Amino acid sequence: MPERTIPPIRLGINIDHAATLRQVRGTRYPDPVEAALLAASAGADSITLHLREDRRHIQDRDLERLLPRCPVPVNLEMAVTPEMVGIACRLRPRFACLVPERRQERTTEGGLDIIAAQRQIKDACARLAGAGVAVALFVAPDTAHLQAIAACGAPHLEIHTGHYADALTVAAQTAELQRIRAFASAAGAAGLEVHAGHGLNVENVGSIARIEEIVELNIGHSIIASALFVGLPAAVAEMRRAMVDARYGLGAGA
Ligand code: PXP
């Protein structure tokens, strides 16, 4: 029997919170573009940034400056609005991840409501594909919605791991992990490329990184926080080690 190979897992670094630090004081530093370039040179496979409608962290100018300079693919997180679709079609990042957005939320709190917004999402996917942007849909791991998700026409999906990360008990976390595993397996079988992200840190990333259908993780807050103490290159390396060790059974992680 041929030996089964585990597909590699990529690490996308989300640089939003370098911009958060800048925006809270209205300074010119720290520059999220410099953070992105440093993360890329430290081994990030892609750079993610979320241009929110309220521009609370990343600004249009950050995206415009980053795109021509970034040596790895840029993944733009964006709401499904005419403004954001227009920006993405004009600037053409390699990837876009469609997310729900509410002004009052501290961070993206849930996945897209595929059922309520299917037409809008489908139209956005078609426009972005026409501009050469590969789209992921940020979704909760709900297998009942997989058909509707696939019908939107995006080649990738990103599983929202926030409930897994925030679970208050081991039982709740285990139950959410089971949902994520089942969903990733069904999505992979349906031909979708599966990513995951939100709330992941070096302690909780292992169980997610071990799921073979998941081939990319997008991680921001914990890495930028860790960078305050160890520096961004070391924080990126530490996360990559935690992911890879778990995936290939090399460490004892979560
Ligand atoms: N993926 C998506 C779609 C997100 O909205 C976010 C948060 O911006 C992340 C990943 C990264 O989450 P965190 O900052 O908690 O690592």
Side-chain angles (χ1 to χ4, degrees), residues 27-252:
T27 47
R28 293 167 73 93
Y29 62 85
D31 180 0
V33 174
E34 291 305 323
L37 300 180
L38 190 57
S41 69
D45 295 300
S46 57
I47 297 296
T48 292
L49 71 178
H50 187 172
L51 183 66
R52 293 187 74 105
E53 290 182 276
D54 62 9
R55 308 301 198 267
R56 70 173 67 159
H57 39 52
I58 295 295
Q59 306 297 303
D60 300 56
R61 189 80 194 105
D62 297 325
L63 177 61
E64 288 162 1
R65 287 166 53 237
L66 177 64
L67 282 167
R69 293 179 66 191
C70 195
V72 294
V74 171
N75 172 34
L76 175 65
E77 280 179 23
M78 51 179 273
V80 191
T81 62
E83 183 200 13
M84 289 300 154
V85 173
I87 290 172
C89 287
R90 178 168 58 84
L91 296 177
R92 298 168 171 226
R94 173 88 78 85
F95 301 107
C97 181
L98 303 186
V99 301
E101 211 173 289
R102 286 188 298 119
R103 293 272 160 122
Q104 303 82 352
E105 68 190 358
R106 262 193 284 180
T107 179
T108 317
E109 280 169 5
L112 289 162
D113 187 343
I114 296 287
I115 304 303
Q118 194 173 20
R119 166 154 290 276
Q120 264 171 291
I121 295 170
K122 208 171 166 176
D123 289 351
C125 288
R127 280 198 60 197
L128 289 162
V133 180
V135 179
L137 304 182
F138 191 46
V139 294
D142 187 345
T143 311
H145 289 165
L146 190 54
Q147 241 189 332
I149 292 166
C152 290
H156 308 154
L157 59 78
E158 180 166 327
I159 300 176
H160 192 306
T161 51
H163 292 302
Y164 160 79
D166 295 340
L168 295 177
T169 63
V170 172
Q173 191 168 57
T174 306
E176 186 62 13
L177 187 58
Q178 285 302 350
R179 255 164 53 93
I180 293 172
R181 281 201 192 108
F183 183 75
S185 160
L192 293 162
E193 183 175 299
V194 185
H195 308 166
H198 212 283
L200 297 176
N201 57 46
V202 286
E203 268 87 45
N204 66 20
V205 76
S207 298
I208 301 295
R210 270 194 283 270
I211 300 172
E212 291 186 20
E213 291 83 2
I214 295 179
V215 294
E216 177 176 307
L217 299 180
N218 287 301
I219 307 179
H221 190 265
S222 70
I223 291 177
I224 299 294
S226 167
L228 288 175
F229 299 97
V230 302
L232 191 53
V236 171
E238 185 187 35
M239 181 58 76
R240 178 177 291 289
R241 202 175 319 115
M243 288 163 52
V244 170
D245 284 1
R247 193 156 181 94
Y248 298 103
L250 305 172

Side-chain angles (χ1 to χ4, degrees), residues 1-6:
M1 224 168 56
E3 210 176 291
R4 197 174 54 85
T5 53
I6 301 172

